[in-house]
């Protein structure tokens, strides 16, 4: 029996992996090819040029690596830092926690700056650390842009400002796994040195490609970084870029064609429209949450995420039960609460290739599930709040104007 089978489409509303558009599925449905042909070389060149647009960088160098977000973290760290290097890393949810654990395993000295889950990175703490670090022992600031556990987005312009204020040379290394392709991310303007993302989030591709973008300071840092790296060594890529062969090892041909199709969809819709669509879906979701009388896990508006909303349930309800029932009864996949917020929050991922009516279907399913688990929700209340907002805010589909 195919466990995944249910009538109709699975309403996939986890914050990654996300829906793969038909167009992308078809583009990937192809035989293997020799990755050393001019056709793949040309395709790769277009991909490297075009991914830069969604990182908003002209000076960054992208690496398309067969890995996941976790491997992309490791690639960013090992190429730029040496064992014993001091990092400042913000602990605001499960993904920042996992990244911090990775940094420790790689033998960096991590200054962990913890905030309550639901809050953004404590930038006052960063400021005092940098103010007292006169000899520049801090080599990197590691920050998750969009903490997928809590639906919190950090303002990276503030991080850059603090570093500039103290003329501190630390690298800014950013996890933008649930941001790139959904949120406005300006690598060059914000002075970010390394950014990592992965294919199964806003790009709406299968899992398996980590995308790392390294700015000039990070590329320079590789020359003195002594962390052991082999598979993830950027030099392998850089050598191939110089030779025009592009691949130090065999890429997934299917993912390359998929990425091409995914980027084409983004540019056809217009990247700025994609960003606005994510903001719109997020706002509609928050209005529904408010109408249900539930609380957003993210504690301040300035941190609201456009790609995921984590919703706090009353203490007498187990959020895991909501996730389980939504899937079993309504073919709706919601994100569960992780670690500290397990059982306490569930998450609606509004990221990737989604539209407004799909979201309304999800919200209707959440309402029914809430009722199922004994929460006294008024059926239709969230859908009404969200659709009233969307009615006035959904533009015409760009390709149909
Ligand atoms: C913000 C963030 N960082 C890192 C990861 C880890 O990525 P992966 O599961 O692709 O290794 C995730 C996964 O959800 C994430 O949301």
């Amino acid at each position: 029996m195919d466990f995944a089978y249910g009538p109709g489409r699975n309403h996939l509303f986890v914050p990654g992996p996300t829906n793969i558009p038909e167009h992308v599925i078809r583009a990937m449905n192809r035989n293997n090819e020799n990755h050393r042909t001019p056709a793949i070389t040309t395709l790769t060149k277009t991909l490297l040029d075009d991914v830069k647009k969604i990182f908003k960088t002209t000076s960054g160098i992208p690496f398309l690596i067969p890995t996941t977000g976790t491997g992309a973290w490791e690639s960013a760290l090992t190429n730029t830092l040496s064992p014993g290097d001091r990092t400042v890393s913000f602990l605001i949810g499960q993904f920042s926690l996992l990244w911090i654990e990775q940094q420790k395993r790689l033998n960096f000295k991590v200054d962990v700056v913890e905030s309550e889950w639901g809050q953004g990175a404590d930038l006052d703490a960063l400021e005092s650390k940098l103010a007292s670090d006169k000899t520049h022992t801090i080599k990197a600031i590691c920050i998750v842009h969009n903490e997928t556990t809590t639906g919190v987005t950090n303002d990276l312009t503030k991080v850059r400002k603090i570093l500039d204020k103290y003329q501190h040379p630390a690298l800014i290394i950013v996890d933008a796994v649930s941001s790139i392709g959904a949120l406005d991310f300006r690598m060059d303007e914000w002075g970010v040195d390394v950014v990592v993302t992965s294919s199964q989030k806003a790009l709406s591709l299968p899992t398996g490609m980590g995308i790392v973008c390294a700015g000039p300071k990070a590329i320079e840092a590789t020359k003195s970084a002594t962390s052991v790296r082999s598979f993830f060594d950027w030099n392998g890529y850089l050598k191939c870029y110089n030779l025009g062969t592009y691949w130090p090892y065999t890429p997934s041909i299917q993912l390359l064609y998929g990425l091409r199709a995914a980027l084409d969809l983004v540019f056809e819709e217009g990247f700025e429209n994609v960003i606005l669509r994510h903001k719109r879906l997020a706002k509609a979701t928050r209005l529904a949450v408010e109408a249900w009388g539930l609380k957003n896990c993210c504690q301040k508006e300035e941190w609201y995420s456009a790609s995921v909303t984590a919703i706090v349930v009353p203490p007498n309800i187990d959020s895991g039960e909501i996730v389980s029932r939504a899937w079993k009864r309504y073919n709706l996949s919601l994100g569960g609460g992780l670690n500290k917020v397990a059982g306490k929050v569930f998450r609606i991922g509004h990221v990737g290739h989604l539209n407004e009516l799909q979201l309304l279907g999800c919200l209707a399913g959440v309402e029914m599930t809430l009722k199922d688990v004994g929460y006294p929700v008024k059926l239709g209340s969230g859908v009404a709040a969200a659709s009233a907002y969307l009615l006035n805010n959904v533009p015409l589909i760009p390709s149909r104007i």
Side-chain angles (χ1 to χ4, degrees):
M1 178 180 155
D2 182 351
F3 220 39
Y5 177 76
R9 299 298 297 260
N10 175 27
H11 288 67
L12 185 57
F13 280 85
V14 292
T18 55
N19 280 291
I20 308 177
E22 295 296 334
H23 179 66
V24 174
I25 292 175
R26 281 194 294 276
M28 290 186 301
N29 185 8
R30 54 196 307 145
N31 204 340
N32 275 331
E33 282 175 47
N34 176 2
H35 59 293
R36 301 293 178 202
T37 61
I40 296 296
T41 301
T42 306
L43 170 64
T44 304
K45 173 108 184 53
T46 72
L47 296 177
L48 294 173
D49 286 344
D50 283 347
V51 288
K52 288 204 236 177
K53 295 177 189 160
I54 56 172
F55 286 81
K56 296 196 175 157
T57 181
T58 53
S59 60
I61 299 181
F63 304 106
L64 310 176
I65 308 171
T67 186
T68 70
T70 307
W73 282 339
E74 185 165 335
S75 160
L77 297 169
T78 55
N79 278 282
T80 54
L81 300 171
S82 304
D85 275 357
R86 185 174 169 207
T87 64
V88 175
S89 216
F90 301 93
L91 171 43
I92 60 167
Q94 177 65 3
F95 295 103
S96 35
L97 172 66
L98 292 174
W99 198 18
I100 285 166
E101 285 172 355
Q102 185 185 71
Q103 288 161 42
K104 290 181 177 167
R105 283 198 300 274
L106 290 167
N107 293 321
F108 307 126
K109 288 197 198 110
V110 191
D111 286 18
V112 178
V113 178
E114 186 163 7
S115 303
E116 193 186 324
W117 290 24
Q119 295 196 1
D122 180 352
L123 299 182
D124 292 337
L126 175 66
E127 174 140 18
S128 53
K129 280 181 185 294
L130 293 183
S132 61
D133 185 32
K134 305 275 187 257
T135 56
H136 299 161
T137 59
I138 298 168
K139 299 300 176 201
I141 314 300
C142 299
I143 182 164
V144 175
H145 181 226
N146 187 74
E147 178 48 80
T148 322
T149 320
T150 54
V152 163
T153 305
N154 288 303
D155 183 348
L156 299 176
T157 61
K158 291 184 179 160
V159 177
R160 180 75 266 162
K161 257 195 203 136
I162 298 170
L163 278 152
D164 289 350
K165 180 172 167 190
Y166 295 97
Q167 298 188 334
H168 200 291
L171 295 169
I172 304 182
I173 305 180
V174 176
D175 168 333
V177 170
S178 52
S179 323
I180 291 289
L183 275 52
D184 190 18
F185 195 101
R186 305 178 181 210
M187 181 175 175
D188 286 1
E189 192 182 313
W190 298 346
V192 175
D193 298 296
V194 192
V195 189
V196 311
T197 192
S198 57
S199 51
Q200 79 279 16
K201 302 280 187 185
L203 285 168
S204 294
L205 286 164
T207 311
M209 183 189 285
I211 307 179
V212 178
C213 205
K217 219 168 101 185
I219 296 289
E220 192 55 32
T222 59
K223 294 178 186 155
S224 52
T226 60
S227 291
V228 172
R229 54 193 187 270
S230 168
F231 181 80
F232 288 127
D233 194 347
W234 295 345
N235 281 314
Y237 281 86
L238 292 171
K239 273 184 205 148
C240 293
Y241 289 2
N242 283 335
L243 294 170
T245 55
Y246 290 108
W247 294 105
Y249 29 66
T250 317
S252 157
I253 296 298
Q254 290 74 17
L255 269 180
L256 297 186
Y257 282 105
L259 178 60
R260 183 63 269 158
L263 290 170
D264 288 345
L265 284 180
V266 166
F267 300 137
E268 184 180 312
E269 184 178 349
F271 187 34
E272 297 309 314
N273 293 329
V274 171
I275 293 168
L276 288 174
R277 175 166 53 78
H278 281 87
K279 283 190 179 161
R280 204 160 55 234
L281 295 178
K283 169 95 181 173
T285 305
R286 289 194 300 271
L287 288 167
V289 172
E290 212 180 296
W292 297 330
L294 293 174
K295 260 181 40 199
N296 194 327
C297 177
C298 175
Q299 293 177 14
K300 273 196 199 158
E301 197 173 335
E302 61 176 286
W303 297 317
Y304 283 162
S305 165
S307 58
V308 55
T309 301
I311 300 145
V312 181
V313 297
N316 60 324
I317 288 174
D318 173 7
S319 67
E321 185 57 21
I322 294 175
V323 174
S324 162
R325 285 191 77 90
W327 188 68
K328 286 186 184 163
R329 197 158 187 221
Y330 304 113
N331 206 3
L332 167 63
S333 286
L334 301 168
L338 302 173
N339 196 333
K340 270 193 191 177
V341 290
K344 298 180 182 160
V345 310
F346 69 95
R347 294 172 298 151
I348 298 178
H350 27 76
V351 51
H353 203 258
L354 284 175
N355 65 31
E356 288 76 11
L357 294 192
Q358 283 172 286
L359 179 73
L360 291 175
C362 163
L363 298 176
V366 171
E367 287 180 358
M368 290 192 284
T369 311
L370 286 170
K371 201 118 187 125
D372 278 353
V373 298
Y375 179 72
V377 66
K378 183 168 178 279
L379 287 180
S381 58
V383 172
S387 53
Y389 164 74
L390 292 170
L391 184 66
N392 293 319
N393 289 282
V394 179
L396 295 176
I397 296 167
S399 62
R400 297 184 186 175
I401 296 172

